[in-house]
Amino acid sequence: MNDTPPLKSEGSRPEKLVYFPRSDGSRIPYKVYSSQAIYDLEQERIFRGPVWSFLGLEAEIPNAGDFKSTFVGDTPVVVTRNSDLSLSVWVNRCAHRGAKVCRAARGNTQMHVCVYHQWSYDTRGNLRGVPFRRGVKNSPGMPEDFDTKEHGMRQLRVDTYRGLIFATFSDAADSLYDYIGPQMRPGLDRMFHKPIVYLGCTRQYSNSNWKLYMENVRDGYHASLLHAFHSTFNLVRVGMKIYSTADENHGMHNWSKIFQTEDSSAGAAYKDNQVTSFKAGMHLEDESILENIQEYDEIVTNHIQPIFPQLVVMQIQNTLAVRQLLPKGPSNFELIFNFFGYEDDTPEMRHHRIKQANLVGPAGLISMEDTEATELVQVATASDGDDCSMADMGRDAPESEQMGSGITEYRIRRFWRGYQKLMGL
Ligand code: FES
Ligand SMILES: [Fe+2]
């Protein structure tokens, strides 16, 4: 890459890293998708900055001693359930020589022991044991002034909203309640209005930048054009009633909700526009995978709600999931779909949700195409970093909370404006 040196060595001049030619978020320099220097700055200003990162569901770790390994940005952390059922989050790095302490993805234990020299920590990350601390025979052991209380693993602020677990490195971050904000809370209240059960997860890697996925989940324009299932089977079509909003605080959380609508034209708009992903003659032998059994006040086909930076809450028909997005360098990310149902689901509904999970995830009949699309952008934008992609669709329309067509890129523009502010670019 031809980046100027990273910010740290230059004092405070991040604007040299990248130049956004318009202030409205509609021009995105390609460099932001592949620059190592920008990636490093994101880790500092976003993931270790004043944001709350989503780590998992309380339902994943219900019992005392349960734990889950995950990440805040690219920093490995562990979420644990303490004996009093409170939650802790700590950086998964031994206070001795920096080894990764917890090596399991999930499990249950009261003590986390580092294999390197067997230092042991409780569920809160406090140091409890140091072998040979008092010495043996001719060795004096650790110095007199060594205090285990000063050598725990780094602990993060942790909080929950409706059973969703978040953590932050920042003491300056708003409360989680305010961070989620009044525009977004109703969406989470809708999805988590009663107790849930965790059903399992899928994991996948994409050879593309994490922000391309952040754009994708804010991109109403692509939904019925990229995804053959959406347009062909009338899951999402232009003309459907859509509610969408962005949070008023920083604009980086969004929510769109698409209402199921019959289309008496049988997809005429797609035929007229010669949309190749619309398959007029295609049908399924068994259509039950598409079924939307009504379970809320309104019949919604898609509820997609990214809570910046690591969470996307989704309902597609009766499939419920929280997607966790984890950056893995400038041109890779990991995407985890954590599926859930409600505790009071009938066995039939539970079976239906699990079958319908085939719409999403790594080989999902719908969502396989999203990571393919982000990789197409990644590979074609790796050079000419000062050139820009554009997001002008619907630019002349007002940006406030709206009911209307999904054919807009305003949520992408809001994202990039918030990103520039947070990054100091
Ligand atoms: S690095 Fe963990 S005990 Fe030494
Ligand atoms: Fe998509």
Side-chain angles (χ1 to χ4, degrees):
M1 295 306 304
N2 292 326
D3 291 335
T4 48
L7 178 71
K8 278 178 191 161
S9 61
E10 284 205 336
S12 183
R13 293 164 60 196
E15 66 279 7
K16 291 201 78 178
L17 282 176
V18 64
Y19 172 65
F20 285 80
R22 289 180 62 111
S23 59
D24 62 4
S26 69
R27 294 293 180 280
I28 305 107
Y30 293 154
K31 198 185 277 185
V32 297
Y33 304 124
S34 50
S35 156
Q36 182 69 49
I38 290 170
Y39 178 83
D40 293 344
L41 192 64
E42 288 168 353
Q43 294 303 313
E44 178 188 321
R45 300 230 165 139
I46 295 175
F47 295 100
R48 290 193 292 273
V51 309
W52 287 89
S53 291
F54 171 71
L55 301 184
L57 296 164
E58 286 204 71
E60 291 180 77
I61 50 169
N63 303 311
D66 284 352
F67 68 85
K68 172 189 179 180
S69 297
T70 182
F71 292 85
V72 172
D74 58 16
T75 304
V77 299
V78 177
V79 194
T80 64
R81 180 76 71 177
N82 301 308
S83 54
D84 62 0
L85 299 185
S86 63
L87 296 164
S88 289
V89 176
W90 32 267
V91 175
N92 191 6
R93 183 187 296 139
C94 185
H96 180 216
R97 303 279 295 282
K100 183 177 174 180
V101 173
C102 176
R103 294 172 299 143
R106 296 169 187 281
N108 182 287
T109 184
Q110 295 303 324
M111 207 56 93
H112 293 267
V113 181
C114 178
V115 292
Y116 205 170
H117 313 87
Q118 298 284 309
W119 285 26
S120 55
Y121 301 86
D122 63 22
T123 57
R124 296 171 195 273
N126 299 316
L127 180 59
R128 292 292 177 196
V130 174
F132 310 134
R133 180 183 169 186
R134 311 268 174 224
V136 283
K137 293 189 179 162
N138 299 325
S139 164
M142 295 297 274
E144 270 306 309
D145 62 0
F146 176 78
D147 183 354
T148 53
K149 287 194 211 58
E150 291 170 9
H151 297 278
M153 289 185 284
R154 179 164 180 191
Q155 295 170 21
L156 280 71
R157 277 174 77 190
V158 54
D159 203 354
T160 63
Y161 185 78
R162 293 244 176 208
L164 300 158
I165 306 170
F166 296 80
T168 180
F169 280 100
S170 169
D171 293 328
D174 288 343
S175 69
L176 176 63
Y177 185 85
D178 289 338
Y179 178 74
I180 294 170
Q183 288 80 29
M184 292 300 114
R185 285 195 299 267
L188 302 184
D189 296 344
R190 174 181 183 272
M191 291 279 287
F192 298 95
H193 66 289
K194 57 182 175 178
I196 63 162
V197 280
Y198 181 63
L199 299 179
C201 72
T202 60
R203 313 175 83 98
Q204 68 196 95
Y205 287 90
S206 171
N207 294 320
S208 63
N209 185 269
W210 67 282
K211 299 184 297 300
L212 288 169
Y213 196 74
M214 291 275 91
E215 290 184 345
N216 176 273
V217 293
R218 290 165 172 81
D219 178 351
Y221 185 26
H222 89 287
S224 73
L225 297 173
L226 175 67
H227 301 302
F229 257 58
H230 273 170
S231 57
T232 305
F233 300 125
N234 198 32
L235 301 179
V236 178
R237 276 187 194 163
V238 64
M240 282 185 171
K241 203 170 70 165
I242 294 179
Y243 166 82
S244 76
T245 186
D247 89 297
E248 296 292 333
N249 186 12
H250 39 67
M252 299 181 81
H253 313 322
N254 300 256
W255 177 20
S256 64
K257 194 167 56 162
I258 305 176
F259 297 88
Q260 186 78 59
T261 317
E262 287 309 312
D263 177 10
S264 56
S265 79
Y270 295 88
K271 290 177 202 158
D272 294 349
N273 281 276
Q274 298 179 335
V275 173
T276 60
S277 55
F278 179 76
K279 311 291 183 193
M282 191 163 90
H283 74 281
L284 299 179
E285 292 297 329
D286 176 356
E287 294 188 338
S288 62
I289 195 169
L290 302 175
E291 197 180 351
N292 192 353
I293 300 167
Q294 185 170 1
E295 56 180 331
Y296 306 102
D297 294 345
E298 51 209 6
I299 303 184
V300 167
T301 168
N302 268 238
H303 169 143
I304 305 290
Q305 189 177 13
I307 301 292
F308 183 80
Q310 290 198 170
L311 170 64
V312 183
V313 174
M314 63 145 263
Q315 172 233 321
I316 295 180
Q317 308 296 74
N318 298 109
T319 311
L320 310 175
V322 283
R323 308 176 192 167
Q324 195 189 17
L325 176 69
L326 302 173
K328 302 287 175 191
S331 52
N332 293 89
F333 66 83
E334 183 179 9
L335 182 62
I336 303 159
F337 283 72
N338 290 289
F339 295 95
F340 64 92
Y342 296 115
E343 256 178 35
D344 63 1
D345 282 347
T346 61
E348 292 75 26
M349 181 57 115
R350 184 68 49 80
H351 177 78
H352 176 57
R353 290 196 206 283
I354 291 170
K355 180 164 77 173
Q356 207 165 57
N358 287 296
L359 294 177
V360 296
L365 295 163
I366 297 170
S367 65
M368 185 164 57
E369 291 132 19
D370 289 315
T371 43
E372 180 66 20
T374 59
E375 291 186 0
L376 291 174
V377 178
Q378 187 75 31
V379 74
T381 59
S383 58
D384 301 315
D386 292 325
D387 288 355
C388 290
S389 78
M390 62 110 82
D392 272 356
M393 189 58 86
R395 187 153 62 81
D396 291 337
E399 283 196 347
S400 55
E401 182 177 296
Q402 50 184 263
M403 296 290 295
S405 134
I407 309 305
T408 174
E409 293 175 316
Y410 92 91
R411 297 193 297 277
I412 296 177
R413 295 189 290 276
R414 291 288 293 263
F415 170 82
W416 284 110
R417 298 206 302 267
Y419 175 88
Q420 287 173 69
K421 209 167 144 194
L422 201 50
M423 289 281 282
L425 294 169

